[in-house]
Amino acid sequence: MTYSSEVLADSPAAYYRLGDASGAMTDSSGNGRNGTYSNVTLGTTGLLTGDADTAITINHSEGRGEVTDAAWMDTGTTLTVEAWIKTSTTGVYQYIVNRDTTGRLWCLRLTNTGVLQVEKIVGTFAASTGTTALNDGARHHVAFTYDGSNIRLYVDGALEQTTAATGSLDGTAILGIGSTYAGTGTWGPHRFIGVMDEVAYYGTTLSGTRIAAHYAAGTSTGITVSLDRFTSAATMRDVSATTFIEVAVDRFTAAATMLDVAIPNVTDVSNELDGRLRSGSGTVTITRPVTAPPASLVLAEAYDKAMPYPTPTMVDGRPT
């Protein structure tokens, strides 16, 4: 699946891809919750692998995206927020996404040492601070979840920190992307400096498994091969070691053969290939729309040609 399809599968309340060529900050969730840009550069190369959708660059004291306060932002005790970022700035606090005004509800930011932090400001204060410095000039996927009992921070698909917290996150506050609203029309001074991409806002608490899936989709070329009854072979060449490959087979397929697949460690998570391992990392997943598995599935380290396709049973001149 593509990154955007993984996000949309989890029904975000709002999803800002930040790939607009001009005009409004478009909500891609289908809910029409558009925002506005101020003092940002559009059309920056995006932070997802294999996706031409662009990002924004922020390098201005009041650079941001903003969405006017609305009832949909109030989610009680469940919330997930995620984004992709790239920065090398040090020594300042950088706000990624926040509802942080004179009412001050919560913020997702980098501290002045570059680690991820969430502050829950409304009600009983709580702060959760990560350990990995992210101001290294590389792209990173960052996320936090809240379930009424804990704040959880995720960096590049992995759980970074869990901190106890209670109470609602609701209140009156603009949603800010890349800067903080200081009230009376003033933004800053704590703004993000760098490239930002793919901001999503959920009224639910996503699991760690789903957040990991989002990160994987954003860093994978996402090759999918579907074999139907008329397909005799599927060949994939020059696949990188970070590629996740999904092979979909149906009842008419007796074998799935992959030639010259450059994944150093292929693990059959469905237990329907031969299960052999190689050093390194990588995953091949087998899925099918029927419950009965085919008679044979073989993962070949190298073949000169694809395995033969079985002859189907014919009824009235047509394959069954």
Side-chain angles (χ1 to χ4, degrees):
M1 297 178 70
T2 64
Y3 181 81
S4 60
S5 63
E6 284 283 6
V7 169
L8 293 172
D10 289 316
S11 301
Y15 177 27
Y16 304 104
R17 302 208 66 194
L18 308 182
D20 306 287
S22 62
M25 185 174 70
T26 304
D27 172 21
S28 296
S29 72
N31 295 318
R33 292 159 178 167
N34 297 338
T36 58
Y37 293 111
S38 295
N39 303 305
V40 304
T41 300
L42 303 177
T44 301
T45 300
L47 300 181
L48 302 179
T49 297
D51 192 324
D53 193 74
T54 60
I56 62 172
T57 296
I58 305 174
N59 189 18
H60 187 282
S61 61
E62 293 192 0
R64 81 274 184 183
E66 61 179 283
V67 186
T68 302
D69 176 64
W72 65 265
M73 298 178 189
D74 290 338
T75 60
T77 57
T78 57
L79 181 65
T80 300
V81 176
E82 67 181 336
W84 288 80
I85 61 171
K86 183 171 75 171
T87 183
S88 56
T89 297
T90 59
V92 297
Y93 282 83
Q94 299 186 73
Y95 279 58
I96 302 168
V97 185
N98 68 93
R99 293 188 73 196
D100 189 2
T101 66
T102 52
R104 306 198 75 198
L105 305 182
W106 55 264
C107 63
L108 172 67
R109 67 185 184 181
L110 300 183
T111 70
N112 58 354
T113 61
V115 300
L116 193 65
Q117 184 179 69
V118 168
E119 284 191 343
K120 178 188 178 297
I121 304 157
V122 64
T124 303
F125 177 85
S128 185
T129 305
T131 58
T132 304
L134 304 181
N135 52 354
D136 56 0
R139 65 172 179 170
H140 294 285
H141 178 258
V142 297
F144 87 90
T145 67
Y146 180 61
D147 61 5
S149 299
N150 291 286
I151 298 168
R152 291 180 173 86
L153 303 184
Y154 295 85
V155 173
D156 294 338
L159 181 64
E160 175 102 344
Q161 187 66 268
T162 301
T163 302
T166 58
S168 171
L169 296 178
D170 294 351
T172 301
I174 291 172
L175 178 66
I177 295 174
S179 189
T180 55
Y181 184 66
T184 63
T186 303
W187 287 79
H190 300 302
R191 88 282 192 184
F192 183 83
I193 303 171
V195 180
M196 188 175 296
D197 204 4
E198 303 290 332
V199 174
Y201 188 109
Y202 306 81
T204 56
T205 304
L206 296 190
S207 67
T209 299
R210 290 304 303 149
I211 290 173
H214 290 195
Y215 173 70
T219 55
S220 169
T221 55
I223 295 175
T224 301
V225 178
S226 297
L227 305 178
D228 65 19
R229 68 185 70 184
F230 301 106
T231 303
S232 61
T235 302
M236 292 169 284
R237 299 181 182 276
D238 301 325
V239 180
S240 71
T242 58
T243 299
F244 285 73
I245 299 174
E246 181 177 3
V247 180
V249 297
D250 67 15
R251 69 183 69 200
F252 299 100
T253 305
T257 303
M258 286 159 279
L259 311 184
D260 304 328
V261 179
I263 296 181
N265 174 23
V266 178
T267 304
D268 168 30
V269 297
S270 63
N271 297 317
E272 292 171 359
L273 297 178
D274 64 1
R276 74 180 64 183
L277 302 179
R278 309 178 195 177
S279 61
S281 63
T283 302
V284 172
T285 302
I286 300 296
T287 60
R288 73 176 49 72
V290 295
T291 56
S296 172
L297 283 173
V298 178
L299 175 64
E301 294 204 21
Y303 282 91
D304 292 331
K305 61 182 180 179
M307 295 183 70
Y309 192 81
T311 301
T313 301
M314 306 296 287
V315 176
D316 295 330
R318 293 178 294 178
T320 60

